[in-house]
Every structure is written in structure tokens, then in C-alpha cells.
Amino acid sequence: MSSQRLMALGLRFYVVVFFAYLFLPLLVMAAATFNDSRFPTVTPWDGTTLKWFGELAADGGMWQALTNSAIVAVGVLCLAVPIGIATALFLNTVSSRAKPFLYALILSPLLTPGVIIGISTLIFWRQLGVGGGIFLTVLGQSTFIAAYVMLMVTARLQRFDRTMERAALDLGASQWQMFRRILLPYLKPAILSAAVIAFLQSFENYNTSLFVVGYDTTLTVYIASKVRTGLTPAVNALGLILILVTVVLAVAYEVKRRREAARTVRGV
């Protein structure tokens, strides 16, 4: 009993340290938003203020960079998610010895440094007369983000009962009907999760975006430039707003999920 209690205490201690490691930096960043100091810090505390939200509202460059990041992230969703799904479906049908090679080839962009992807994308498309900008940023990021989508969809496909597919085809369904009515609903949770991951990966990307973004600065590139010229707690204010929006969306999704689960149970 004593050893079990010791293990339980050790597990609780680990959980506390883990969550402190995750959330303490966010709490410090949020607190720095209300410090009157012109530097993003909590020590020394120069007084409580809300002026940095006003500074954020007046920073047109940051809002434009935020808009560019959102546009790029949506573009990556539209490009990387279909490519990742198609790649996963293709690999699921390959049974030859070439499958491990194809799998490693598709995953290779994840192992390539973002700097290399950005430089190679810029050099290649410049040969075709395409300069840096939002379009090139979407292409550059999609080359490796599509691999994340492929991994998540592939993991879901490995648990798919292929007899359902064969039964639908035997009953006269076309390939498209089978995909739309059986396979796609089954893959929906993985696709939604992959879309969220793809959006976040694109939104926070810096290494690749730095070389292909051109004059259409994204948020990460803009903040990095502000670090060199003088960072203010207005960035902390933006970070706090993004955290609150994320928390609200996560809570809303969880409430919706629980309501749907409750309706399903009542229906049964």
C-alpha cells in the first residue's frame, strides 16, 4: 500500500510540474500585458495599466501581419488537407514493396529544416517568374504540413474495417458513393483534427515563411523584426487575446461535443 501511495504522489507531483511548465510562461506573459513598463516583463512592476491594448489597436502593421497569417493558414488548409487525405488513401491501397519507400519519401519534408524548404521554394518558383508573397508562402508551408495531415488520416485508416467498403461495392455503390457515405464520415474526426493542426502549424511557422513571404509579412516574421527594433507589451496583449479566443473555442467545442453525446444517449 505504501508503494502504491508513493507512486500516486509521484504521479500527482509530475502532473503538477508538467502543467506548471506549460502554463506558467503563459501566465507570466499575460501578467506582463498589464505592466506599465515599456518592456515585456513583470519585474520590476511599474504599475498596472491597460494602455498596451490601445497600443495594439493602433499598431496597423501587426494587424496586417495577423491578417496575412490567417490568409496563409486558410490557404494551407485548402491545399494541404486534400493533398494529405489523397496521399493517405493512396498509401492505404499500395501493398507492394515500394510502400515503405513512398512513405519515407512523403515524410521527408518533415525531416527537412524549414530554412531549406523556404530557400528551395523561393529559388524554384523564381525561375518560373513567381516572387515571394502569400501565394508562395502557402505553397512552401503546404509541402510539409500535408505530411502531418497524411499521418493523422493514415492512423485513422488503419482501424477502418475494409469489409464495409467491399460490402458497399457489392451492393451496387460506386466508388464515389462508398467514399462519401462510408469512408468520409469515418475519417471526419481525423480530418477535423488534421485541419486544426495544419492551421496552427501554418499560423506559427517562421523558418519557411521568412524566406518566401516577401513584403506580405506574417505575424511571426513581424514579431521577430520587432524583437530587433524594440518589442513592447503590445505583443503580449495580442498573445493574451489569442489565448482567450483559443480557450473560448475549446470550451465551446467541448460543450457542443457533450451535448451531442447526451442527445445520442437519450436517442438510444
Side-chain angles (χ1 to χ4, degrees), residues 104-136:
L105 181 65
I106 295 169
L107 289 183
S108 60
L110 293 180
L111 307 177
T112 306
V115 174
I116 302 300
I117 293 177
I119 294 175
S120 60
T121 301
L122 181 64
I123 293 176
F124 175 80
W125 285 98
R126 272 190 173 177
Q127 303 301 316
L128 302 177
V130 180
I134 290 178
F135 173 74
L136 203 59

Side-chain angles (χ1 to χ4, degrees):
M1 180 65 66
S2 60
S3 62
Q4 292 180 352
R5 183 175 301 175
L6 183 62
M7 290 180 61
L9 290 175
L11 180 60
R12 292 176 182 175
F13 176 76
Y14 171 79
V15 171
V16 170
V17 172
F18 176 76
F19 281 101
Y21 175 78
L22 285 180
F23 292 109
L24 276 179
L26 298 179
L27 294 176
V28 172
M29 183 211 70
T33 306
F34 304 98
N35 190 2
D36 199 27
S37 171
R38 62 182 299 268
F39 300 104
T41 180
V42 295
T43 56
W45 190 265
D46 294 340
T48 304
T49 182
L50 295 176
K51 70 177 183 180
W52 299 116
F53 290 96
E55 293 284 341
L56 172 63
D59 193 341
M62 186 175 296
W63 288 110
Q64 183 60 52
L66 178 63
T67 302
N68 290 339
S69 291
I71 294 173
V72 169
V74 172
V76 169
L77 277 182
C78 296
L79 186 61
V81 172
I83 291 177
I85 296 173
T87 305
L89 294 174
F90 169 72
L91 288 177
N92 193 53
T93 60
V94 175
S95 58
S96 64
R97 295 182 179 178
K99 185 174 182 177
F101 171 76
L102 294 174
Y103 188 81
L105 181 65
I106 295 169
L107 289 183
S108 60
L110 293 180
L111 307 177
T112 306
V115 174
I116 302 300
I117 293 177
I119 294 175
S120 60
T121 301
L122 181 64
I123 293 176
F124 175 80
W125 285 98
R126 272 190 173 177
Q127 303 301 316
L128 302 177
V130 180
I134 290 178
F135 173 74
L136 203 59
T137 306
V138 171
L139 292 180
Q141 292 184 4
S142 297
T143 56
F144 67 92
I145 292 179
Y148 287 108
V149 178
M150 184 272 294
L151 285 174
M152 300 187 70
V153 176
T154 299
R156 181 74 173 171
L157 276 173
Q158 290 176 350
R159 299 189 296 271
F160 179 65
D161 186 2
R162 299 296 298 272
T163 58
M164 298 175 60
E165 176 182 340
R166 290 191 290 268
L169 295 176
D170 290 341
L171 291 173
S174 63
Q175 288 285 349
W176 169 245
Q177 289 175 326
M178 184 277 299
F179 174 77
R180 183 169 58 88
R181 297 186 179 182
I182 296 178
L183 189 56
L184 190 59
Y186 178 80
L187 294 177
K188 183 179 177 180
I191 294 173
L192 293 178
S193 301
V196 173
I197 295 297
F199 185 91
L200 296 177
Q201 285 287 332
S202 172
F203 196 83
E204 70 178 9
N205 182 265
Y206 173 74
N207 292 337
T208 302
S209 301
L210 178 64
F211 293 94
V212 296
V213 74
Y215 294 105
D216 298 321
T217 306
T218 58
L219 184 61
T220 53
V221 176
Y222 180 81
I223 292 176
S225 65
K226 294 286 285 186
V227 170
R228 295 191 295 268
T229 59
L231 195 64
T232 67
V235 175
N236 297 58
L238 178 61
L240 179 59
I241 292 173
L242 293 177
I243 290 173
L244 293 177
V245 170
T246 303
V247 170
V248 169
L249 292 177
V251 171
Y253 172 78
E254 183 63 19
V255 171
K256 179 176 179 294
R257 186 188 66 82
R258 293 190 178 188
R259 287 180 178 176
E260 291 178 350
R263 283 198 297 267
T264 303
V265 172
R266 288 195 297 267
V268 174

